């Protein structure tokens, strides 16, 4: 059995994509001066999130500033003026977006059964969350669904000084384990699985049947990729790997 299992969070434990799209759909529906159809504006917000999240992960801006950059590009398309000060922009994000976004969080139904199964294993692995998200927000998601108790650590770029895929080696050191004894489970084929394998870990792809970025069908993986369709398949997959 592996010494440590790292779990991605968004798209793996919590349905981040659906929460974002649901929230922005609500905002757009309540905007009488929107300059584009709802679907186009929802897609725009998702695109802006990806762009400015990359800037945050590269250390080019703070987490709060990545929200502001997104907002400054989005509000003119929504038909609303951009608040002049960063404080007013933060207030818009908090009042119009984050409150509804947090209410839209949903934990996947296979998460608790998987973690309970792993907890019951004799000499089972230690568990940690390895996520590129903001530590405060990610810990709040885990606390909301009673997941914090399962994990020895919640590791983000703030703690590690780097984001995935660079962060795998540092995450292993933080967990006092060798990469060859670590497993990373996530929904992103490239950054959660292939990058983990390149770093010496075992990568297991959680294929939920949807591409996290595009919303289309899952990408195609070759036969060398360890793949599961539900987290509840993970304990058995680990057992077969070690047999």
């Amino acid at each position: 059995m592996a010494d440590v299992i790292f779990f991605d969070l968004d798209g793996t434990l919590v349905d981040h994509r659906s929460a974002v799209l649901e929230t922005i759909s609500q905002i757009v529906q309540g905007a009488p001066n929107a300059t584009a159809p709802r679907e186009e504006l929802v897609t725009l917000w998702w695109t802006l999130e990806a762009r400015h999240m990359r800037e945050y992960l590269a250390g080019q801006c703070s987490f709060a500033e990545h929200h502001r950059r997104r907002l400054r590009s989005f509000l003119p398309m929504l038909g609303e003026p951009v608040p002049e000060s960063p404080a007013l922009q933060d207030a818009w994000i908090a009042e119009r977006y984050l409150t509804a976004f947090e209410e839209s969080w949903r934990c996947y139904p296979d998460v608790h059964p998987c973690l309970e199964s792993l907890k019951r294993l004799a000499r089972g692995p230690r568990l940690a969350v390895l996520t590129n998200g903001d530590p405060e927000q990610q810990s709040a998601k885990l606390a909301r669904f009673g997941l914090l108790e399962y994990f020895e650590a919640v590791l983000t770029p703030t703690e590690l000084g780097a984001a995935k895929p660079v962060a795998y080696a540092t995450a292993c050191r933080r967990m006092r384990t060798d990469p060859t004894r670590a497993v990373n489970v996530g929904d992103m084929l490239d950054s959660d699985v292939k990058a983990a394998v390149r770093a010496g870990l075992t990568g297991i792809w959680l294929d939920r049947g949807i591409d996290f970025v595009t919303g289309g069908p899952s990408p195609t993986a070759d036969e060398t990729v360890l793949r599961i369709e539900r987290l509840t398949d993970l304990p058995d997959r680990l057992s077969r790997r070690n047999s």
Side-chain angles (χ1 to χ4, degrees), residues 74-91:
F74 185 75
L75 280 184
M77 297 296 293
L78 196 65
E80 295 187 17
V82 178
E84 293 183 2
S85 70
L88 291 175
Q89 294 167 22
D90 292 345

Side-chain angles (χ1 to χ4, degrees), residues 12-13 20 33 65 69 86 89 101 107-108 117 124 129 137 142-143 162 164 167 169 171 181 201 224 233 235:
T12 299
L13 304 178
V20 170
N33 299 318
E65 175 59 23
R69 292 181 179 186
Q89 294 167 22
F101 175 55
C107 180
Y108 292 107
S117 294
V129 172
Q137 187 176 84
L142 295 168
K164 293 184 289 185
R181 301 190 63 207
L201 292 77
T224 64
D233 296 333

Side-chain angles (χ1 to χ4, degrees), residues 28 31-41 44 73-81:
V28 171
N33 299 318
T35 64
R38 182 185 64 83
E39 294 79 6
E40 184 176 329
L41 290 173
L44 172 63
S73 297
F74 185 75
L75 280 184
M77 297 296 293
L78 196 65
E80 295 187 17

Side-chain angles (χ1 to χ4, degrees), residues 53-99:
M53 188 67 176
R54 286 193 296 269
E55 294 169 352
Y56 161 67
L57 294 174
Q60 298 172 8
C61 65
S62 67
F63 191 71
E65 175 59 23
H66 114 278
H67 271 142
R68 297 178 199 128
R69 292 181 179 186
R70 200 189 312 178
L71 188 66
R72 290 194 290 265
S73 297
F74 185 75
L75 280 184
M77 297 296 293
L78 196 65
E80 295 187 17
V82 178
E84 293 183 2
S85 70
L88 291 175
Q89 294 167 22
D90 292 345
W92 194 102
I93 288 289
E95 296 166 9
R96 298 278 299 279
Y97 179 71
L98 288 179
T99 298

Side-chain angles (χ1 to χ4, degrees), residues 1 117-118 121 228 231-243:
M1 182 62 67
S117 294
L118 293 173
L121 291 174
I228 57 176
L231 279 178
T232 44
D233 296 333
L234 179 62
D236 181 61
R237 167 59 80 173
L238 292 172
S239 297
R240 286 190 282 122
R241 170 180 169 266
N242 289 299
S243 61

Side-chain angles (χ1 to χ4, degrees), residues 212-228:
F212 180 84
V213 176
T214 67
S218 299
T220 301
D222 63 49
E223 65 277 3
T224 64
V225 172
L226 299 180
R227 173 182 170 274
I228 57 176

